[in-house]
Amino acid sequence: MKKAILLLVFFVFSFSYGQNEKTIDSLKKVITSKISKDEKAVAYHTLLQITLNTDFEISKKYIKELYALNKDNSCPKCEVLGDLNQGYFYYLNNENKNSIIFYEKSAKKALKIKDYENYEAAKMQLIQTFLNTSDIVNGEKELNDLLDFKKVNNLKKNTEYVYYLLGQLNIIKSFNNTAIEYFLLAEKKMIENKSKDFAFKITNNTMICTMYANLKSFDKAREYNNKALIIANETKDVYEITKVNLYRGFLETSAKNYSIAQKHLQKAYDYYKETGNKMYESSSAQFLGKVYYQLKDYPKSLKYSNIAIDFFSKNNQNSDYARSLVNRAKVMIINSNLESARQDINIAKSLIKPDSKDYIEVLDSEIEYSKKTNNINEAIKFIDLRDSLVQVKESKSNKNSLNEVEAKYQTKQKEQQIKLLSTQNELAQKQKYIYIALLGLLAIIGGSLFYGYRNKIKTAEKLNELNELKSRFFANISHEFRTPLTLIKSPVQ
């Protein structure tokens, strides 16, 4: 099921697929109408989201027209979206180096014009490409940079896509349980936001399906594959329905339900062959080679193994190339074509590290070869090597589980530290406001006391003035009383 990790979701849109023909006609009318170049660029971008998965030739034409909108340097956004779609075009053709170059160009140009939405889209596509090629160093670095950028600029959108990328990162680290948690968080976020990005919903459910399959929880895996299929059927988009069928084929192959796997894989292969999607066609062919071998239909197993080998040998995908060679070698052994089988096994061994999980399949082919040539000692030697490698892988798996627990603990510790620092900062801020409030209150009380004291002094002064006036008044009155009495008293005497 490792192959499922390599299937990319095009993050940059939230577009409901169904009825593509009508949508394409509608978008063509928009492109030819009298609207701004920026609006035309968005229409081209939306159109390419359909055609890049169905028609490479027409997609090249639309990308060229999108770039042409900026021939007078009046539409920098056209360049941003042109590079973004060109990067995805190269990805689908398995030209990862060129894909990375154009995603980086798109991100740089988007940042220059402060188009943060498409900057995030380009960065997420870049991260996805690094993770697809197992470049964990650059993938993790870019992902951390993006998280910091979102935090600094307070960008709340696209959180579900970031969770998805974190899930992919943890897959590569073999932290399967943590990966599932991130995919489930992505699903939760989409439900909260009432997301209409159906293609991404399908991809996220498919990744959860893949992780449960890796953990041998096949019923749970089927549950999420069925969820993805319900959404795909609602969109009525053949591309999405086929992708879900392809993953169901991967799932049933892992569960060793080869007859069921064959039906799903064959449908997927036929569709991808018809639409010219070489990457998906080759992935389907690789699994069909394995399934038909288990069903003992060796001619078909050989046919599809050859198709996969032809593609993967030219595109530097060593693991897929080696697995396809091993499957063909097993068919050659059945057909007693031992010389060709030996060549395929030797090439496969040169492509895979002896400590990798894929090397177990190589050792299986060595065992079959030794049995066929009646070399019992060699067969025993390879059986011992295989069993030893299986034990090492189980031990590594247990170690990864411990590392996963430790990583979770450290993450929680960091989160608690951040929360503590945040709480301390909030407390310090609150204390500052409390101190300011207290100072203000003291100032008010002090002012009130001062004004009260001053008013008391003024009141005392006024009272003194009144007392003096009263004294004068009564002095004058007594004088006035004495004078008339004297005047009356004298005649009487």
Side-chain angles (χ1 to χ4, degrees):
M1 295 297 290
K2 186 179 178 182
K3 177 63 194 172
I5 300 167
L6 301 175
L7 304 181
L8 179 72
V9 55
F10 199 19
F11 286 114
V12 293
F13 62 94
S14 56
F15 176 70
S16 175
Y17 276 92
Q19 300 177 335
N20 282 345
E21 292 301 322
K22 290 182 180 179
T23 306
I24 289 170
D25 291 339
S26 176
L27 289 166
K28 284 179 179 177
K29 288 178 183 178
V30 172
I31 288 165
T32 55
S33 63
K34 292 182 179 180
I35 55 174
S36 69
K37 287 185 177 181
D38 278 4
E39 289 172 315
K40 284 186 178 182
V42 172
Y44 269 114
H45 180 49
T46 309
L47 184 59
L48 281 160
Q49 291 160 22
I50 302 170
T51 62
L52 275 167
N53 290 311
T54 55
D55 191 330
F56 282 157
E57 291 305 314
I58 196 70
S59 295
K60 284 197 287 188
K61 174 179 173 288
Y62 289 144
I63 291 170
K64 190 175 180 181
E65 289 175 6
L66 179 53
Y67 277 124
L69 290 173
N70 193 42
K71 61 184 177 182
D72 57 355
N73 296 319
S74 61
C75 183
K77 187 171 186 174
C78 300
E79 286 279 330
V80 170
L81 293 176
D83 288 340
L84 188 56
N85 284 281
Q86 188 69 66
Y88 190 53
F89 176 86
Y90 278 122
Y91 166 78
L92 290 174
N93 283 281
N94 211 47
E95 297 180 41
N96 290 320
K97 287 183 180 178
N98 286 329
S99 180
I100 287 167
I101 289 168
F102 277 94
Y103 288 145
E104 287 177 338
K105 280 184 178 181
S106 180
K108 188 176 180 181
K109 290 172 184 176
L111 189 60
K112 188 176 180 181
I113 62 172
K114 295 184 178 180
D115 182 357
Y116 292 156
E117 183 177 358
N118 284 311
Y119 171 78
E120 280 191 81
K123 279 290 185 182
M124 287 190 287
Q125 287 298 126
L126 177 64
I127 294 161
Q128 177 73 84
T129 307
F130 281 132
L131 296 180
N132 284 348
T133 55
S134 297
D135 186 348
I136 191 170
V137 175
N138 282 317
E140 190 164 20
K141 178 185 175 300
E142 290 288 347
L143 185 49
N144 287 330
D145 288 347
L146 179 60
L147 288 167
D148 290 340
F149 180 83
K150 287 176 72 67
K151 193 180 292 183
V152 168
N153 292 280
N154 196 29
L155 302 175
K156 303 294 185 183
K157 289 183 179 180
N158 301 321
T159 308
E160 58 268 38
Y161 302 121
V162 176
Y163 283 141
Y164 177 86
L165 290 169
L166 286 165
Q168 291 244 9
L169 178 63
N170 279 280
I171 289 174
I172 298 172
K173 289 181 173 181
S174 297
F175 293 173
N176 290 332
N177 290 317
T178 303
I180 289 174
E181 287 177 14
Y182 278 119
F183 292 134
L184 290 172
L185 281 171
E187 183 184 35
K188 183 181 177 183
K189 201 68 181 175
M190 281 187 284
I191 292 169
E192 286 176 3
N193 296 338
K194 297 179 180 178
S195 172
K196 293 182 180 179
D197 191 344
F198 300 113
F200 180 65
K201 284 182 179 180
I202 292 165
T203 299
N204 192 63
N205 277 308
T206 303
M207 289 309 299
I208 297 171
C209 159
T210 303
M211 296 315 303
Y212 277 123
N214 287 345
L215 295 169
K216 308 299 181 187
S217 298
F218 296 117
D219 288 339
K220 201 72 178 171
R222 291 185 187 98
E223 177 188 330
Y224 278 91
N225 183 265
N226 289 335
K227 276 187 179 183
L229 187 60
I230 289 167
I231 299 167
N233 285 330
E234 286 175 358
T235 67
K236 297 179 181 179
D237 184 77
V238 180
Y239 176 82
E240 293 299 333
I241 294 168
T242 305
K243 188 169 73 172
V244 177
N245 270 312
L246 177 64
Y247 276 82
R248 187 57 174 258
F250 294 158
L251 163 60
E252 297 301 345
T253 303
S254 290
K256 298 182 179 180
N257 295 323
Y258 298 115
S259 294
I260 297 172
Q262 181 270 330
K263 292 176 184 177
H264 290 287
L265 291 168
Q266 194 66 59
K267 282 182 182 178
Y269 174 82
D270 292 341
Y271 173 80
Y272 293 129
K273 183 176 175 59
E274 184 183 347
T275 56
N277 192 321
K278 290 292 182 184
M279 185 180 68
Y280 288 138
E281 179 191 337
S282 304
S283 299
S284 307
Q286 180 193 336
F287 275 80
L288 278 170
K290 183 174 183 177
V291 165
Y292 277 122
Y293 175 81
Q294 295 295 334
L295 294 172
K296 297 184 179 181
D297 189 338
Y298 302 121
K300 283 187 178 179
S301 178
L302 186 60
K303 171 190 170 182
Y304 289 108
S305 295
N306 283 333
I307 291 167
I309 287 166
D310 183 60
F311 177 79
F312 294 128
S313 63
K314 298 172 183 175
N315 291 281
N316 300 318
Q317 290 186 228
N318 290 347
S319 294
D320 294 302
Y321 181 29
R323 282 195 290 268
S324 302
L325 284 167
V326 165
N327 198 71
R328 186 170 73 177
K330 288 180 178 179
V331 177
M332 294 297 184
I333 292 167
I334 294 291
N335 293 337
S336 297
N337 191 346
L338 299 178
E339 186 178 346
S340 295
R342 182 73 265 164
Q343 288 176 355
D344 283 350
I345 292 169
N346 288 342
I347 295 169
K349 287 174 79 172
S350 70
L351 294 170
I352 300 176
K353 293 179 180 179
D355 61 346
S356 71
K357 188 176 179 181
D358 293 328
Y359 202 75
I360 294 170
E361 290 188 37
V362 177
L363 292 173
D364 283 336
S365 66
E366 286 281 21
I367 293 165
E368 294 301 319
Y369 182 86
S370 299
K371 286 179 180 178
K372 187 72 175 182
T373 57
N374 295 317
N375 195 335
I376 304 302
N377 290 332
E378 283 290 297
I380 292 170
K381 182 183 80 173
F382 288 121
I383 289 169
D384 288 341
L385 277 172
R386 183 192 62 187
D387 292 346
S388 176
L389 184 56
V390 168
Q391 286 179 353
V392 168
K393 289 298 163 189
E394 287 176 355
S395 175
K396 188 177 179 181
S397 177
N398 292 333
K399 185 178 178 182
N400 283 335
S401 297
L402 289 172
N403 289 339
E404 185 173 8
V405 171
E406 185 181 351
K408 279 186 180 180
Y409 173 75
Q410 289 175 352
T411 302
K412 284 183 179 179
Q413 287 287 93
K414 286 178 182 177
E415 287 174 353
Q416 286 174 354
Q417 288 173 2
I418 292 167
K419 192 174 180 180
L420 180 62
L421 287 171
S422 178
T423 304
Q424 288 174 344
N425 289 335
E426 287 177 10
L427 186 60
Q429 195 75 6
K430 286 178 181 178
Q431 285 176 338
K432 185 171 80 172
Y433 291 137
I434 290 168
Y435 292 145
I436 291 169
L438 285 172
L439 287 171
L441 185 61
L442 288 171
I444 291 167
I445 293 169
S448 299
L449 290 172
F450 173 76
Y451 285 118
Y453 178 70
R454 194 172 70 174
N455 287 335
K456 282 183 179 179
I457 291 172
K458 284 183 178 180
T459 303
E461 288 175 352
K462 290 286 183 183
L463 288 172
N464 287 335
E465 287 179 14
L466 286 172
N467 288 332
E468 286 180 12
L469 286 172
K470 277 197 263 180
S471 299
R472 289 177 190 169
F473 175 75
F474 285 116
N476 290 335
I477 291 289
S478 62
H479 174 72
E480 290 299 326
F481 281 152
R482 283 197 302 272
T483 302
L485 285 172
T486 304
L487 292 173
I488 295 166
K489 183 179 176 183
S490 294
V492 172
Q493 287 178 345

